[in-house]
Amino acid sequence: MPSPTRRTIIIIDAVEWSPAYPNPHPLRNVGEWFARFLRGLPELEPVVVPAGEDVAEAVFRPSTAGVIISGSPRDAWARDRFNERLVDVILRCEQARIPFLGVCYGHQLLGVALGAKVGRDPAGVELGNTTIELTPEGRLDPLFEGVPLSFEAMESHQDSVQTMPAGATLLASGRQTPIQAFRYGDVLRGVQFHPEHDPDILRFIWEPRRQTWRDRCDFDIDERLSELRPTPEGPKILKNFANLCRKFSS
């Protein structure tokens, strides 16, 4: 539980692991992927919450300063109760003016919540190091403060947000996936890429998938995973989000 004098950033873990991933394993910890970059920040404490039935009850407490929804193998565009609960969390964040960051699946859920077209990416799977380009608006957004105009990030997705939500602002784009980051109002943001990932995490995720996905990709999975490079801008983006949470809660 958080200290009574500290505000919390709620990390909603939306992953359900298959038996192919051993438990316990040090890398099978979605919350830790994010929390390792958020610990020790002034006045804020990361708290991991599973995306279960009572997710809203766990999220909307007086101590909550910000909310992150993680990636997931789920389809954000599927009409099911799991997705509906998380879409409701996003909309309640907007109403309560609690900064929200959706990552990959969470980014796609934000698109669904705002009426965008979300589905299978027509260009197929995007995996590994990808160059992200900030838009003029992205350069000015606090989420990307101190981040170069062009930087590398980790990708691992087959779905994407394919139309910008009405009233939203494009913050970053990529060659395969044009909508890499966007903002709606001043509290809702999504990023298609994974600022929390590093090469070890991505290889861990894809190791059991290699054989199944080889025929579904138009690139060599083994080569792509062997060439992974660290993406140091990712932690900066997560810490920028924490600064945004601190600003709104002060």
Side-chain angles (χ1 to χ4, degrees):
M1 293 295 292
S3 162
T5 61
R6 287 168 67 84
R7 305 297 299 277
T8 60
I9 295 180
I10 302 296
I11 302 164
I12 300 177
D13 176 0
V15 173
E16 291 185 0
W17 294 101
S18 80
Y21 296 91
N23 186 24
H25 188 288
L27 292 180
R28 204 186 103 153
N29 191 334
V30 177
E32 181 61 22
W33 299 348
F34 291 90
R36 59 187 173 152
F37 299 122
L38 300 174
R39 288 196 189 92
L41 299 179
E43 304 167 6
L44 293 175
E45 184 174 350
V47 173
V48 181
V49 172
E53 290 285 342
D54 57 352
V55 62
E57 180 181 352
V59 168
F60 294 105
R61 298 180 177 183
S63 61
T64 299
V67 176
I68 296 172
I69 294 182
S70 76
S72 174
R74 291 177 174 272
D75 296 325
W77 43 268
R79 294 186 177 181
D80 59 40
R81 185 61 187 139
F82 188 96
N83 287 342
E84 289 171 358
R85 285 195 298 268
L86 295 181
V87 164
D88 181 66
V89 166
I90 294 170
L91 296 177
R92 287 181 61 181
C93 282
E94 182 189 17
Q95 294 167 0
R97 291 187 57 73
I98 297 173
F100 168 83
L101 179 64
V103 174
C104 195
Y105 165 78
H107 162 86
Q108 295 157 15
L109 276 178
L110 176 58
V112 170
L114 299 175
K117 179 183 178 182
V118 179
R120 293 283 186 259
D121 194 311
V125 175
E126 188 169 27
L127 176 65
N129 292 77
T130 299
T131 299
I132 308 296
E133 303 283 349
L134 295 181
T135 65
E137 294 77 14
R139 299 172 189 177
L140 300 175
D141 193 274
L143 188 66
F144 296 105
E145 183 177 354
V147 175
L149 305 184
S150 178
F151 63 96
E152 280 197 344
M154 294 282 184
E155 300 276 4
S156 179
H157 67 97
Q158 64 170 334
D159 296 342
S160 63
V161 178
Q162 295 162 21
T163 61
M164 281 289 290
T169 301
L170 182 66
L171 301 179
S173 61
R175 185 173 65 178
Q176 174 170 325
T177 307
I179 302 175
Q180 284 286 351
F182 69 92
R183 178 187 71 231
Y184 184 83
D186 55 359
V187 296
L188 304 183
R189 288 169 175 81
V191 295
Q192 178 58 69
F193 56 89
H194 286 273
E196 81 284 14
H197 277 184
D198 59 33
D200 288 341
I201 290 172
L202 202 54
R203 291 189 187 108
F204 171 75
I205 292 169
W206 274 86
E207 185 58 40
R209 301 178 181 178
R210 291 188 192 224
Q211 190 60 40
T212 303
W213 282 84
R214 279 194 175 96
D215 294 338
R216 305 185 196 179
C217 300
D218 60 359
F219 54 84
D220 187 317
I221 290 179
D222 299 311
E223 181 179 1
R224 187 67 58 87
L225 292 175
S226 70
E227 295 175 344
L228 294 178
R229 300 175 298 279
T231 52
E233 306 306 328
K236 293 181 185 178
I237 291 167
L238 293 175
K239 290 175 181 177
N240 283 343
F241 178 70
N243 288 333
L244 190 64
C245 296
R246 188 181 297 109
K247 174 184 174 182
F248 272 79
S249 61
S250 62

